[in-house]
């Protein structure tokens, strides 16, 4: 029996579909999170999980096989030096899909596809830390002023 052997064609010709999946995988590994439709996310997730599993073991063969799909050398290096080792102990399930609701103009089901233990944006974290320090400083100055 050939149950569950199919895939979603996404209403695209094979070359367009492969390019779409490659591009979305590259962006997912670059930003560790993407917003897209549910159908695309589920299809990209299949391929991304396989590449992360491959990246857990850094070898020339694995890098070459992954380089077929991810053609940006910087992202390929990030996958093998940062993302792969991060998931070394995890047996699978490297991504999560969070529903956002429906898109306004065409009612497409929108989701966020992200890596499970993604690193938060460091710039945003630094900005938040500076804001908190400013607020603490302002509170301290306000407390020290005589009334």
């Amino acid at each position: 029996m050939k149950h569950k052997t199919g895939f979603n064609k996404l209403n695209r010709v094979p070359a367009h579909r492969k390019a779409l999946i490659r591009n979305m995988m590259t962006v997912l590994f670059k930003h560790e999170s993407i917003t897209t439709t549910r159908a695309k996310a589920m299809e990209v997730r299949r391929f991304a999980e396989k590449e992360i599993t491959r990246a857990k073991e850094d070898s020339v063969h694995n890098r070459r096989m992954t380089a077929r799909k991810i053609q940006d050398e910087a992202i390929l290096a990030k996958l093998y030096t940062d993302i792969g080792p991060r998931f070394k102990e995890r047996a699978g399930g490297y991504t999560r899909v969070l529903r956002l609701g429906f898109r306004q103009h065409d009612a497409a089901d929108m989701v966020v596809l992200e890596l499970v233990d993604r690193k938060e944006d460091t710039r945003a974290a630094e900005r938040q830390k500076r804001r908190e320090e400013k607020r603490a400083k302002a509170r301290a100055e306000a407390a020290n002023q005589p009334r």
Side-chain angles (χ1 to χ4, degrees):
M1 282 185 217
K2 294 176 70 176
H3 294 299
K4 295 257 200 179
T5 58
F7 59 94
N8 192 338
K9 292 184 180 181
L10 301 172
N11 291 328
R12 286 164 171 79
V13 295
H16 186 186
R17 185 174 52 250
K18 289 173 188 172
L20 173 87
I21 290 169
R22 284 178 177 176
N23 289 335
M24 290 185 79
M25 260 197 324
T26 302
V27 172
L28 174 65
F29 294 142
K30 181 177 182 180
H31 299 289
E32 300 187 9
S33 175
I34 56 173
T35 302
T36 184
T37 62
R38 185 168 184 268
K40 289 178 189 173
M42 300 313 265
E43 202 57 31
V44 169
R45 176 186 213 176
R46 293 174 56 213
F47 292 94
E49 298 253 347
K50 290 176 185 175
E51 295 308 320
I52 293 171
T53 300
R54 190 179 284 280
K56 285 164 56 172
E57 183 183 337
D58 192 358
S59 68
V60 175
H61 176 70
N62 283 347
R63 277 187 184 249
R64 286 180 178 168
M65 295 300 284
T66 303
R68 291 171 162 186
K69 294 182 184 80
I70 298 172
Q71 295 169 347
D72 186 345
E73 289 182 20
I75 304 303
L76 185 66
K78 179 181 179 180
L79 179 63
Y80 277 87
T81 58
D82 181 31
I83 297 172
R86 212 185 318 160
F87 290 111
K88 199 75 162 173
E89 300 302 317
R90 186 179 280 269
Y94 313 113
T95 58
R96 112 176 16 112
V97 176
L98 302 170
R99 285 189 144 168
L100 295 176
F102 297 98
R103 189 160 51 193
Q104 187 69 38
H105 70 280
D106 66 352
D109 195 6
M110 298 300 289
V111 297
V112 172
L113 175 65
E114 65 183 12
L115 298 180
V116 172
D117 65 344
R118 73 180 248 239
K119 292 181 179 176
E120 296 300 322
D121 185 15
T122 55
R123 276 190 258 159
E126 288 174 9
R127 222 177 294 132
Q128 183 67 24
K129 186 178 176 183
R130 280 196 301 263
R131 273 192 215 126
E132 290 173 5
E133 288 173 357
K134 273 186 179 179
R135 287 179 187 153
K137 186 177 178 182
R139 283 188 207 121
E141 287 177 6
N144 289 338
Q145 289 181 354
R147 294 180 189 200

